[in-house]
Structure formats: structure tokens, C-alpha cells
Amino acid sequence: MAAVLELDDIQAGVLRPRPTPYVATYIAFRIDDRKAGRDLMGRISRVVTSAANPQGPLADTSVSVALTYQGLKALGVPQASLDSFSWEFCQGMAARFKDLGDTGESHPDKWEQPLGSPDLHVVLVAVSRDANTLEAALAPAREAYRGMSGITAIWRQDCYAPPNEKEPFGFKDGISHPAIEGSGIPGTNPHEQPLKAGEFVLGYPDEMGGTQKTEPELLGRNGSYVVFRKLHQRVAEFRKYLMTHSKDAADEELLAAKMMGRWRSGAPLALCPVQDDPALGADSTRNNAFMYEADDPAGLKTPGGSHIRRTNPRDAAIAGVARIHRMIRRGTAYGPLLPEGVLEDDGADRGLMFAFVGAHLGRQFEFVQSQWVNDGVFFGAGEDKDPVIGSDPNGVSFTFPKKPLRRRFQGIPQFVVTRGGEYCFMPGLRALRWLSELET
Ligand code: HEM
């Protein structure tokens, strides 16, 4: 029987789908004084929204809060409790740079400060359908920390999902989401069986039959690991690459679609391999209703190396089991969009605030980033990498299977550069109160 999730104890940021369009703000804090930090947890626990079915004018508005390992430490969480969190979380994202492919220009030494530093303790994320309602939602949160000595706001990032939901390279995003047992929130692929709740929330059985717990159990229960990464996108470079490696405008769009696995409209190659179908792209009942293996085992429609087939191979024959590497994912644009047709970089910082939510940092986020994005062995493509987000100092290779002759691209430049990020834990509401009452 499926576990019933305690939605009123789980933060909205973990499970609740976001409105379209929306704006979001990330605010990071440093805790300089343990008691002030605990006080903040108590105040914030009264402001954060739960994943329980919301009503009223602020129904699609949420405020969520997450802590880093250093943040839990700054609150004085006992060492035995700290040690019960996953070891990747305890190390923090910057320390994991080699496995994540954050080398060269993406190296933590080059990250925007204070990202990746031990000063980053608490991250508040507010999401709403427009700037006015976001301000209304942030007001009580601001009230909670304004004037508190011992707490310093050290970083802020505003971001947005535009009405057409396109990310800065021009592809419709936010289409594919897993279904989660007991959440009442439907997934988007009718061919995918819902995943066990313990894949995403601690304290429930997962796909492997285990249950992630912390010491004490209450601290982890109904919480999730959250990864956020600020990913700069080289939009002009991406456009120029497509143009110089295609025969004409139609071929350029085909190459872009083969690299992503979807046309820019969101229509999947799996369902319309030859030509874009914008009506299909816009139809949320159809645009994610597909699998790969029976129809397209060789990747003649959706290349095995494309971004979406790599990051979720669905039922395709690969080394391993795709279901244990799924994630809840939110991508939110930051910075000004580069106007259509512009091929020269204007120097503006633009890209994606990528967010992952799951119960297993190692076998979900890190595995996908290291084995599926930055390697090709799992589907028999040697050292090929993700042509959209992969990184390689010698350039990425990508194969576009085609009959009679495949097309092969080598030396693809790096289009995405990591500006920073962190591993956080988003506790349940009871756990936030537990943190506020710590007496160590
Ligand atoms: C700037 C960087 C990125 C861009 C521009 C990007 C863009 C996209 C787009 C346009 C889609 C298709 C829309 C959808 O299926 O919802 C997608 C899907 C996806 N992306 Fe990314 N992405 C980026 C980074 C990442 C990273 C870092 C990961 C994980 C390590 C990731 C994992 C996924 C997954 C799991 C899917 C859904 C695949 C599916 O279920 O078919 N993406 N991405």
C-alpha cells in the first residue's frame, strides 16, 4: 500500500507544482549567533507554507526554507545528528566539484561569493505568480528576520519563469515531472508508474525498500535534500554553434531539437521526430506521454545522447535502473533574455537557477550529473557528453544517430558554466520547530 504523505508537515517547496508564469527570489543568510539562528527557525516556521492543499488568494504562493550542513552546525545541532545526514550533504557542493564536473571555468574558486563558502547557512525561497504577490509573501518573512542581530542576509537572486516557460536557450521547460505515491500531485507521463514517496521525502519507504532516517528521526522526517545551482548560459555561443553546424534554418532547429530531445516548442522528438508540432508542445496531456524502448531503441528519433534522454532514459535499455535516479526539478531563469536573433554576447549574466529535490543526493543528483550528463558509457556512447550542459576542456562529443549515416559532432564548446550553488536540507515544519527549541 502507498504511504500517505503528511503534506501539512512537508514544505511547499518540496512538492507543490509552481504556477505559470512565476517569479521567485532566493535569499541566503549567515547565522552569526546560535540563539538568533534558533529564534529565526521558530519565526520562519510560522511563515513557510506547507504542501497541503492550499486555498485563498495566495494559493500559488510559497515560502520555503532550507539549511546547509554549516547552517545546521551554526544552530548547534549535535554532531551525532549532523553525522546522520548523507555524506555528500555534509561535504557541501564545492567539495564535490570533481564529481560534478565543476572544473575549469566552473571551478569553485571562480564562483560568485558567498556561494560555496562556509558562510552560507540558510536559504529562503519565495515563489509567486507575480512581483506584487511575491512581495506580499515576502513581507512576513522579512518581518521574521528584520532587525535581528546575529543574522545577516548575504546573497539574493531574483529569477522568473516567463509565460511561454522558455529557458534562456529558447526551449520550453518545466514539462516532465515524476508522479509520487501518496502526494495526490499527478506526474506528467501517464506511462510512468508513480515513484515511492521515499525517493523524495525522508521517513518513507523508497524504491529500494529502504527508508532514509536521521538522528533523531523527527529532524529528517518530511524533509528533503535540495540542490540549487546557478548555471550561467552562453546563449549567443549556443546560437552561433547551431548556425555554423547546420545547412539552413530548418536544419538548425533540427540540430537544436536533437541536442535537447525536444523541439523548442516543447514537442518531444519521440512523438514528432521530423517536424515541430507546437500544438503538441503546448498540450500538457500529450507532451510527456512517451517511452523510448519499444519505439526507438537505437535513438533514431531521440538520440541517446540528447539532454532529456540522458537525464531520464525512461525505459530505454541502459546500464542500471532509471527509476532510482529520478528527481523533482525546477529550472527558473535569471538575468535578461538575449533578444531573438542576436548572435553576439552582450556581457549580461543570464542563465538558470537549477533546483533539485530528492531524498538521495548521491544516487539521484550526483549520479545524473556525473554518470549521465558527463559520461556516455551507460548507453554505449563512450566518452560522449550532454551536448547542452556537458563540460569537457577538449570540447564535448555528441552523436546524432541517422540512417544511412549518423552525424557526429566533436569539440562542442561549453555552453553552461557553474556560477555556484549548495547542498541544502529542507526540513519538515515540526523539524523547524525542533531546531528552534535546541538547547545545546
Ligand atoms: C542551464 C542548464 C539546463 C538547461 C538549459 C536545461 C534545460 C532543460 C529542458 C529545456 C528540458 C525539457 C523540459 C522538460 O522535460 O521538462 C529539461 C529536462 C530535464 N533536465 Fe535539464 N536543463 C539544464 C540543467 C539540468 C541539470 C543540471 C540537470 C540534472 C543534473 C537536468 C535534468 C533534467 C531532467 C531530469 C529533465 C527531465 C527529463 C525527462 O524527464 O524527460 N537539467 N532540461
Side-chain angles (χ1 to χ4, degrees):
M1 221 183 63
V4 175
L5 284 165
E6 294 164 357
L7 295 179
D8 58 351
D9 194 46
I10 298 173
Q11 294 197 44
V14 170
L15 287 179
R16 262 213 343 243
R18 294 182 173 183
T20 307
Y22 70 83
V23 290
T25 293
Y26 284 71
I27 305 175
F29 301 91
R30 187 183 63 227
I31 299 170
D32 297 314
D33 174 75
R34 181 178 283 195
K35 278 183 72 92
R38 292 170 182 177
D39 199 11
L40 179 70
M41 291 301 112
R43 294 180 188 201
I44 285 285
S45 72
R46 294 189 280 278
V47 174
V48 298
T49 27
S50 82
N53 200 17
Q55 307 286 336
L58 291 182
D60 50 13
T61 296
S62 65
V63 175
S64 308
V65 70
L67 292 115
T68 61
Y69 174 80
Q70 294 297 339
L72 291 175
K73 225 170 141 180
L75 288 177
V77 170
Q79 194 61 43
S81 295
L82 293 172
D83 292 344
S84 66
F85 284 87
S86 89
W87 66 273
E88 296 90 354
F89 171 73
C90 299
Q91 293 200 342
M93 186 186 282
R96 305 288 304 139
F97 77 98
K98 276 197 197 125
D99 290 69
L100 299 177
D102 285 335
T103 52
E105 292 166 281
S106 294
H107 192 280
D109 283 352
K110 302 196 169 68
W111 285 4
E112 179 178 319
Q113 285 307 304
L115 302 178
S117 83
D119 280 355
L120 204 135
H121 295 159
V122 179
V123 180
L124 188 101
V125 190
V127 175
S128 194
R129 80 189 99 90
D130 58 43
N132 288 340
T133 42
L134 186 78
E135 272 312 305
L138 272 173
R142 283 218 184 86
E143 211 47 52
Y145 65 80
R146 185 182 292 138
M148 275 184 92
S149 61
I151 302 289
T152 314
I154 53 171
W155 183 76
R156 174 177 175 152
Q157 179 68 57
D158 293 330
C159 37
Y160 59 96
N164 61 12
E165 293 172 278
K166 292 201 170 174
E167 52 70 45
F169 289 144
F171 294 91
K172 182 175 160 76
D173 202 356
I175 299 171
S176 181
H177 302 291
I180 303 157
E181 274 187 15
S183 72
I185 300 165
T188 53
N189 182 357
H191 306 295
E192 183 182 49
Q193 285 297 314
L195 286 130
K196 295 263 182 259
E199 288 298 305
F200 304 102
V201 186
L202 272 69
Y204 300 86
D206 62 24
E207 291 285 320
M208 311 278 282
T211 300
Q212 293 280 305
K213 287 184 186 158
T214 57
E215 170 55 44
E217 201 180 327
L218 184 150
L219 175 58
R221 186 169 178 84
N222 291 325
S224 298
Y225 291 106
V226 173
V227 173
F228 76 89
R229 258 162 105 71
K230 182 172 178 180
L231 300 173
H232 170 73
Q233 290 176 250
R234 292 184 168 147
V235 178
E237 184 123 8
F238 184 68
R239 289 180 185 168
K240 269 192 286 201
Y241 183 85
L242 292 174
M243 186 178 262
T244 51
H245 290 79
S246 50
K247 297 192 287 277
D248 52 33
D251 193 45
E252 194 179 319
E253 281 309 302
L254 179 68
L255 176 57
K258 289 285 182 182
M259 288 163 83
M260 180 56 73
R262 291 184 185 272
W263 301 90
R264 283 195 164 106
S265 70
L269 286 173
L271 300 180
C272 52
V274 182
Q275 195 170 308
D276 190 8
D277 178 350
L280 170 60
D283 184 346
S284 61
T285 64
R286 294 188 294 142
N287 63 13
N288 201 35
F290 60 91
M291 296 299 245
Y292 295 120
E293 191 56 25
D295 190 41
D296 186 24
L300 289 168
K301 294 179 178 174
T302 314
S306 62
H307 178 65
I308 67 159
R309 190 155 168 171
R310 279 176 173 273
T311 51
N312 179 13
R314 304 186 184 212
D315 64 337
I318 50 155
V321 182
R323 279 176 75 74
I324 63 166
H325 309 297
R326 300 286 284 121
M327 62 180 77
I328 298 175
R329 176 187 54 95
R330 320 268 183 224
T332 316
Y334 74 87
L337 290 175
L338 189 67
E340 293 255 349
V342 173
L343 293 175
E344 287 312 316
D345 186 22
D346 60 359
D349 188 13
R350 58 175 59 84
L352 205 73
M353 281 296 290
F354 168 88
F356 153 100
V357 178
H360 304 273
L361 278 178
R363 72 165 157 86
Q364 293 173 326
F365 172 68
E366 288 205 349
F367 183 90
V368 172
Q369 177 72 28
S370 62
Q371 305 299 307
W372 286 357
V373 166
N374 280 326
D375 207 335
V377 173
F378 73 103
F379 70 103
E383 292 184 347
D384 277 15
K385 292 182 177 168
D386 188 316
V388 184
I389 68 165
S391 65
D392 192 319
N394 303 315
V396 165
S397 301
F398 168 63
T399 310
F400 163 168
K402 191 167 167 275
K403 279 185 176 160
L405 280 181
R406 62 177 195 160
R407 280 168 75 178
R408 179 126 175 96
F409 298 84
Q410 280 172 307
I412 303 175
Q414 189 174 339
F415 301 123
V416 173
V417 179
T418 311
R419 289 272 195 253
E422 198 41 279
Y423 288 166
C424 300
F425 187 73
M426 193 171 274
L429 299 184
R430 277 197 299 270
L432 279 176
R433 290 193 287 275
W434 182 86
L435 289 168
S436 76
E437 288 160 9
L438 274 169
E439 280 174 359
T440 47

